[in-house]
């Protein structure tokens, strides 16, 4: 019996060097036209878009090209005075995802004073459930992504003691599968993005000892395909964003050397748009800020010194994490 592996073929005329200036230009002009169709249609995730863009610019040492005061004012206007949570855009409901993105941006700008920190803490605490899980918002969806958002945001605010950490860890561990991976909730399929969220939660909570590290790292390194790219779960095409989700997890597990770094680097570089700048999910597709950040962050984890060092737990510049005096746990072999 033979199996056909789902993959892409890298063309010979693909980009093979890092186009930093083009990526900086791409992000500096992205979203400037407020009447643009794409700008209007992405309003529901604007706060995360700001985080992706600013972090990418920070890693390229180009954040001065971003409208700092305008961004800070926008974040302040998105905080709900009643709940304390922060929304994706003005007039939207607050959500854990966008609350974290806002906190990350303000932490990079050293302007956490621009929001009501006590309100954010109150909002996150209100979403923790009896079993230790977290709702994403008032509507009650449970997902390990929200556990990670809660833990990361509170750690950036130095208020991690506000929640029940033991129950938080217990819920995340209840989502561990027979293959040592993690899903969105107990019994859900292992997925590289959710593995990052769960490993990141344990890293911040100093409970990496609870992982089956070798088995988990093996599952992660098996995500690499002949093209060099990584997928999120078996039988899927490679996607550039997994250069972050998989490699950051392997970095926290101290087993990043288990993948073929050179072939992964070639895949990441091939996902660049040589005309407009920016990275896409796969070579030849349309670029976006989401994949641009994770392409750059993936290259940083691979040791590209033209990009600032990125912290594998927080997906923020290491210099910001050092300034905040945060020390997420990394396994030692």
């Amino acid at each position: 019996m033979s199996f056909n592996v789902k993959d892409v073929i890298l063309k010979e005329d693909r980009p093979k060097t890092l186009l930093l200036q083009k990526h900086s230009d791409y992000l500096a002009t992205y979203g400037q036209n407020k009447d643009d169709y794409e700008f209007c249609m992405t309003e529901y995730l604007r706060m995360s878009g700001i985080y992706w863009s600013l972090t990418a610019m920070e890693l390229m040492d180009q954040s001065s090209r971003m409208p700092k005061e305008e961004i800070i004012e926008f974040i302040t206007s998105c905080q709900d005075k009643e709940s304390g949570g922060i929304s994706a855009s003005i007039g939207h409901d607050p959500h854990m995802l966008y609350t974290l993105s806002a906190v990350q941006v303000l932490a990079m700008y050293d302007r956490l004073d621009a929001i009501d920190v006590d309100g954010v803490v109150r909002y996150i605490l209100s979403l923790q459930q009896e079993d230790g899980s977290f709702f994403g918002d008032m509507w009650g969806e449970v997902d390990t992504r929200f556990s990670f958002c809660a833990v990361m945001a509170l750690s950036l605010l130095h208020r991690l003691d506000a929640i029940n950490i033991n129950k938080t860890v217990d819920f995340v561990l209840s989502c561990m599968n027979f293959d040592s991976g993690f899903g969105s909730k107990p019994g859900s399929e292992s997925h590289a993005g959710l593995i990052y969220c769960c490993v990141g939660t344990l890293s911040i909570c100093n409970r990496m000892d609870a992982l089956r590290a070798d088995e988990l790292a093996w599952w992660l390194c098996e995500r690499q395909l002949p093209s060099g790219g990584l997928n999120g779960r078996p039988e899927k095409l490679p996607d550039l964003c997994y250069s972050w989700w998989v490699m950051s997890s392997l970095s926290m597990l101290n087993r990043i050397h288990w993948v073929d770094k050179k072939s992964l680097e070639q895949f990441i570089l091939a996902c660049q748009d040589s005309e407009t700048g920016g990275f896409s999910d796969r070579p030849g597709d349309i670029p976006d800020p989401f994949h641009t950040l994770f392409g750059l962050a993936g290259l940083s984890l691979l040791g590209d010194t033209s990009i600032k060092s990125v912290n594998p737990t927080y997906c923020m510049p290491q210099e910001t994490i050092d300034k905040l005096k945060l020390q997420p746990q990394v396994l030692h072999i």
Side-chain angles (χ1 to χ4, degrees):
M1 182 181 295
S2 62
F3 295 92
N4 292 319
V5 176
K6 294 182 179 179
D7 200 1
V8 298
I9 297 175
L10 303 186
K11 296 180 179 179
E12 185 55 39
D13 62 349
R14 68 186 184 274
K16 298 176 183 177
T17 59
L18 182 58
L19 310 172
L20 276 179
Q21 188 59 50
K22 283 186 175 289
H23 302 321
S24 176
D25 292 343
Y26 167 74
L27 291 172
T29 58
Y30 189 86
Q32 282 192 350
N33 182 4
K34 303 298 189 288
D35 296 323
D36 184 74
Y37 174 80
E38 189 173 0
F39 181 86
C40 296
M41 292 302 292
T42 56
E43 183 179 58
Y44 69 96
L45 47 69
R46 184 141 305 138
M47 191 65 73
S48 290
I50 291 171
Y51 157 71
W52 299 327
S53 299
L54 177 63
T55 308
M57 290 294 252
E58 283 277 359
L59 292 175
M60 293 187 288
D61 201 21
Q62 293 287 313
S63 60
S64 61
R65 300 186 67 181
M66 299 288 284
K68 179 178 178 178
E69 294 307 318
E70 183 181 332
I71 288 172
I72 293 171
E73 182 180 348
F74 174 76
I75 292 174
T76 300
S77 66
C78 289
Q79 183 168 26
D80 180 61
K81 289 182 171 57
E82 184 176 345
S83 70
I86 300 173
S87 61
S89 193
I90 298 169
H92 289 233
D93 289 340
H95 195 285
M96 188 78 82
L97 291 172
Y98 309 119
T99 299
L100 171 61
S101 293
V103 169
Q104 288 176 293
V105 169
L106 294 177
M108 284 186 278
Y109 276 145
D110 194 20
R111 283 298 313 277
L112 288 168
D113 62 298
I115 52 172
D116 174 9
V117 171
D118 288 337
V120 169
V121 174
R122 183 177 70 251
Y123 175 70
I124 294 174
L125 180 59
S126 73
L127 295 174
Q128 185 166 34
Q129 306 306 299
E130 184 59 33
D131 65 355
S133 66
F134 284 86
F135 287 168
D137 59 12
M138 63 184 288
W139 303 110
E141 180 186 6
V142 171
D143 192 306
T144 46
R145 288 179 302 157
F146 309 144
S147 298
F148 185 44
C149 290
V151 166
M152 189 195 293
L154 290 174
S155 68
L156 290 169
L157 297 172
H158 293 285
R159 298 289 293 276
L160 196 55
D161 58 345
I163 57 171
N164 189 318
I165 296 175
N166 289 333
K167 283 191 173 183
T168 300
V169 169
D170 288 343
F171 174 75
V172 167
L173 292 178
S174 74
C175 299
M176 186 187 295
N177 292 318
F178 71 94
D179 56 15
S180 298
F182 293 83
S184 60
K185 52 182 69 69
S188 294
E189 178 187 9
S190 294
H191 185 283
L194 296 163
I195 287 171
Y196 163 72
C197 291
C198 292
V199 174
T201 299
L202 298 174
S203 171
I204 294 171
C205 294
N206 202 34
R207 283 299 315 279
M208 296 282 281
D209 60 287
L211 293 167
R212 299 195 292 265
D214 282 342
E215 292 87 346
L216 175 55
W218 183 251
W219 189 94
L220 289 166
C221 74
E222 283 194 315
R223 304 281 58 77
Q224 190 163 35
L225 297 166
S227 65
L230 300 160
N231 61 20
R233 49 200 170 105
E235 300 300 312
K236 296 296 182 179
L237 285 169
D239 186 321
L240 178 66
C241 66
Y242 295 108
S243 303
W244 173 257
W245 312 123
V246 172
M247 295 298 282
S248 59
S249 298
L250 286 172
S251 183
M252 287 184 275
L253 293 167
N254 205 4
R255 288 160 173 81
I256 200 169
H257 56 285
W258 284 19
V259 300
D260 184 335
K261 294 183 180 181
K262 186 62 179 176
S263 65
L264 175 57
E265 180 185 23
Q266 291 173 353
F267 176 84
I268 294 174
L269 294 174
C271 292
Q272 298 176 104
D273 190 311
S274 58
E275 295 182 12
T276 66
F279 290 78
S280 59
D281 58 347
R282 283 178 282 277
D285 287 352
I286 297 174
D288 58 73
F290 174 85
H291 288 96
T292 299
L293 167 59
F294 295 127
L296 292 167
L299 290 172
S300 177
L301 288 177
L302 288 171
D304 190 321
T305 56
S306 65
I307 306 168
K308 288 183 183 179
S309 176
V310 66
N311 183 275
T313 301
Y314 290 87
C315 196
M316 295 166 64
Q318 183 61 47
E319 62 188 23
T320 299
I321 303 307
D322 291 341
K323 189 173 183 179
L324 289 169
K325 295 182 169 57
L326 297 172
Q327 294 183 312
Q329 186 183 24
V330 175
L331 281 185
H332 297 287
I333 297 179

